[in-house]
């Protein structure tokens, strides 16, 4: 049997008459629309360029799981520094456990957290060994849950300072300025 | 199919015109867009700076100059109904101002955003009147010290720090001038 090129006659054999009508125009407006290739490619190229410009190769700053970060308006840009996270009563330094804040909460007294102190001090020493001719920046970023009590915040802050990290920054979620000079 | 015409190709030379196949090109653009959209970071993390004010090691070889202590703004947030702003120079209290405490709390997902617009406005007025480091060439900031009780939750502390950071001033960095917070913040130890 010879092979025929499928043509309009094929549609007549298909039972879907409304499809045949639609495809052939059938008295209604044609459902096929012409797309200008030049405009489409222009649009795609502009989108690619925009996304490439806003792309961050360093990725998202790692935020500890289960942490509700507070939000603030008057903030500074993030920087690369060791991260100390306080989630519940657990303390993490760059994702690794670094002590517990339960003792501080129970005593309700500001105190040095020894495990955190030792880990931060070791980080400082390591930095000094790897950068022998540079001044140590002493920057640490604290990721603290919004419901953590001030006694824990101050204890972690002071522990970091004692360990040689006096420039402490609190990580927050940036929110846009609301109306007025102060919102 | 689209083509790139670079002209020429006359004589016996090989024709330099080449054609770009539109279908793989559009596929490539679509895949690139998808990749960039998927890897895009939509949350904007930022930081609020604080300084532990740790003095450097003693320098016995350097003669210490007697310097008059600077004015510092102490922000007391222990009360439920008011903040107290105290300007101190050394141990001398220069001025004390009460600011009624009005917590503006908004819920954004699981996070409660706490703001103090009245406190921010008052701190800005105070800094304009009594701030010592206002010149853009001056790299030093005025010092604010935050006093809080041990029970206060962190979100309220961030609300107050955000209010203290509201006044901003110009600061020269070489030929460039940037807006910078007027105050540097630290916590009171007691």
């Amino acid at each position: 049997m010879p092979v025929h090129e499928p043509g309009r006659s094929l549609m007549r054999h298909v039972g879907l008459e409304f499809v045949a009508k639609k495809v052939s125009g059938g008295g209604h407006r044609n459902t096929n629309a012409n797309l200008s290739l030049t405009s489409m490619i222009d649009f795609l190229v502009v989108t690619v360029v925009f996304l490439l410009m806003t792309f961050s190769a360093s990725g998202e700053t790692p935020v500890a799981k289960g942490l509700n970060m507070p939000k603030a308006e008057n903030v500074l840009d993030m920087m690369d520094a060791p991260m100390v996270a306080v989630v519940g009563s657990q303390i993490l330094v760059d994702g690794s456990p670094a002590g517990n804040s339960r003792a501080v909460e129970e005593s309700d007294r500001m105190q040095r957290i020894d495990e955190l102190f030792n880990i931060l001090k070791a980080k400082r020493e390591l930095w000094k060994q790897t950068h022998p001719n540079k001044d140590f920046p002493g920057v640490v970023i604290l990721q603290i849950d919004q419901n953590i009590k001030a006694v824990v915040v101050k204890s972690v802050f002071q522990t970091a300072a004692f360990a040689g990290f006096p420039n402490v920054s609190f990580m927050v979620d940036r929110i846009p300025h609301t109306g007025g000079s102060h919102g | 199919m689209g083509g790139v015409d670079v002209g020429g190709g006359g004589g016996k030379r090989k024709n330099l015109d080449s054609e770009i196949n539109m279908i793989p090109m559009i596929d490539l653009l679509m895949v690139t867009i998808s990749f960039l959209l998927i890897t895009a970071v939509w949350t904007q993390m930022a930081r609020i700076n604080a300084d532990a004010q740790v003095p450097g090691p003693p320098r016995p070889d350097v003669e210490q100059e007697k310097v008059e202590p600077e004015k510092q703004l102490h922000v007391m947030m222990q009360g439920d109904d008011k903040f107290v702003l105290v300007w101190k120079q050394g141990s001398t209290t220069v001025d004390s101002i009460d600011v009624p405490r009005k917590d503006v709390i908004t819920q954004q997902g699981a996070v409660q955003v706490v703001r103090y617009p009245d406190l921010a406005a008052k701190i800005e007025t105070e800094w304009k009147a009594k701030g010592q480091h206002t010149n853009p060439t001056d790299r030093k900031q005025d010092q604010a010290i935050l006093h809080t009780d041990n029970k206060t939750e962190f979100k309220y502390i961030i609300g107050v720090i955000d209010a203290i950071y509201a006044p901003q001033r110009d600061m020269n960095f070489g030929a460039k001038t940037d807006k910078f917070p007027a105050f540097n913040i630290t916590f009171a130890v007691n």
Side-chain angles (χ1 to χ4, degrees):
Chain A
M1 191 180 165
V3 178
H4 294 285
E5 189 184 333
R8 293 176 68 84
S9 59
L10 183 69
M11 289 189 292
R12 299 218 173 84
H13 293 115
V14 179
L16 300 168
E17 281 181 22
F18 72 98
V19 176
K21 270 187 186 174
K22 286 249 174 191
V23 171
S24 59
H28 298 282
R29 226 177 90 194
N30 199 341
T31 50
N32 293 336
N34 287 325
L35 191 67
S36 169
L37 207 57
T38 314
S39 317
M40 188 181 126
I41 291 170
D42 284 353
F43 169 74
L44 289 175
V45 169
V46 167
T47 314
V48 168
V49 169
F50 168 74
L51 288 169
L52 278 173
M53 298 267 287
T54 56
F55 178 70
S56 162
S58 58
E60 198 171 354
T61 312
V63 177
K65 267 189 183 173
L67 194 142
N68 286 327
M69 197 91 67
K71 300 186 181 206
E73 291 177 358
N74 303 299
V75 293
L76 303 167
D77 289 332
M78 274 302 286
M79 60 194 296
D80 191 28
M83 292 271 180
V84 177
V86 184
V87 190
S89 60
Q90 204 181 11
I91 301 171
L92 308 163
V93 175
D94 290 334
S96 307
N100 203 292
S101 64
R102 204 168 294 140
V104 178
E105 279 179 76
E106 280 168 8
S107 68
D108 198 28
R109 267 185 57 242
M110 211 170 101
Q111 54 188 280
R112 198 178 83 175
I113 301 159
D114 289 333
E115 204 174 337
L116 174 65
F117 175 81
N118 292 335
I119 290 172
L120 287 177
K121 205 175 168 196
K123 275 198 178 285
R124 182 171 179 257
E125 296 304 322
L126 183 69
W127 194 95
K128 281 188 162 181
Q129 280 172 16
T130 50
H131 305 81
N133 300 318
K134 285 185 180 172
D135 286 334
F136 182 62
V139 181
V140 67
I141 294 171
L142 306 187
Q143 294 179 4
I144 299 181
D145 190 277
Q146 60 165 355
N147 296 321
I148 296 287
K149 297 272 185 289
V151 66
V152 176
V153 178
K154 289 194 280 186
S155 295
V156 172
F157 186 89
Q158 285 294 323
T159 303
F162 287 145
F165 292 85
N167 296 319
V168 183
S169 287
F170 296 110
M171 192 161 157
V172 290
D173 206 348
R174 188 195 298 260
I175 49 170
H177 277 266
T178 42
S181 61
H182 305 289
Chain B
M1 293 261 193
V4 179
D5 188 352
V6 292
K12 288 179 183 173
R13 274 191 274 166
K14 196 179 154 192
N15 196 343
L16 291 173
D17 286 358
S18 63
E19 288 196 335
I20 298 169
N21 193 341
M22 280 295 125
I23 294 168
M25 187 188 147
I26 292 170
D27 285 352
L28 175 73
L29 288 172
M30 289 291 194
V31 168
T32 315
I33 288 172
S34 306
F35 167 76
L36 291 168
L37 280 174
I38 289 164
T39 58
V41 179
W42 300 112
T43 49
Q44 285 247 333
M45 286 302 162
R47 67 191 173 95
I48 280 189
N49 199 40
D51 189 346
Q53 297 286 298
V54 178
R59 298 276 305 275
D61 52 317
V62 180
E63 198 180 328
Q64 296 289 314
E65 276 181 50
K66 278 235 169 188
V67 185
E68 198 179 321
E70 288 191 350
K71 268 189 280 185
Q72 293 179 323
L73 178 66
H74 292 251
V75 181
M76 321 274 191
M77 61 176 296
Q78 285 99 333
D80 287 337
D81 56 340
K82 66 175 182 183
F83 295 107
V84 184
L85 306 180
V86 181
W87 282 101
K88 279 189 176 181
Q89 191 161 19
S91 56
T92 313
T93 300
V94 178
D95 198 2
S96 178
I97 309 111
D98 287 356
V99 181
R101 180 169 172 161
K102 288 176 195 161
D103 299 21
V104 179
I105 300 175
T106 47
Q107 191 78 33
Q108 291 190 9
V111 178
Q112 279 188 323
V113 183
V114 182
R115 289 169 57 249
Y116 298 101
D118 293 352
L119 178 67
K122 190 67 194 167
I123 288 173
E124 180 148 20
T125 314
E126 283 297 311
W127 176 73
K128 280 179 179 162
K130 300 188 185 86
Q132 289 172 298
H133 303 281
T134 52
N135 196 314
T137 55
D138 189 350
R139 293 281 187 90
K140 222 173 162 192
Q141 291 165 283
D142 282 287
Q143 187 66 46
I145 297 165
L146 182 58
H147 297 251
T148 173
D149 61 46
N150 289 344
K151 298 257 183 288
T152 307
E153 288 179 0
F154 186 54
K155 59 190 167 205
Y156 297 101
I157 296 173
I158 286 293
V160 174
I161 294 177
D162 202 16
I164 297 172
Y165 265 143
Q168 304 226 327
R169 71 180 178 93
D170 289 334
M171 204 182 272
N172 289 351
F173 296 94
K176 212 175 128 198
T177 303
D178 267 344
K179 284 274 178 204
F180 217 74
F183 282 103
N184 181 40
I185 299 166
T186 193
F187 284 99
V189 186
N190 53 347

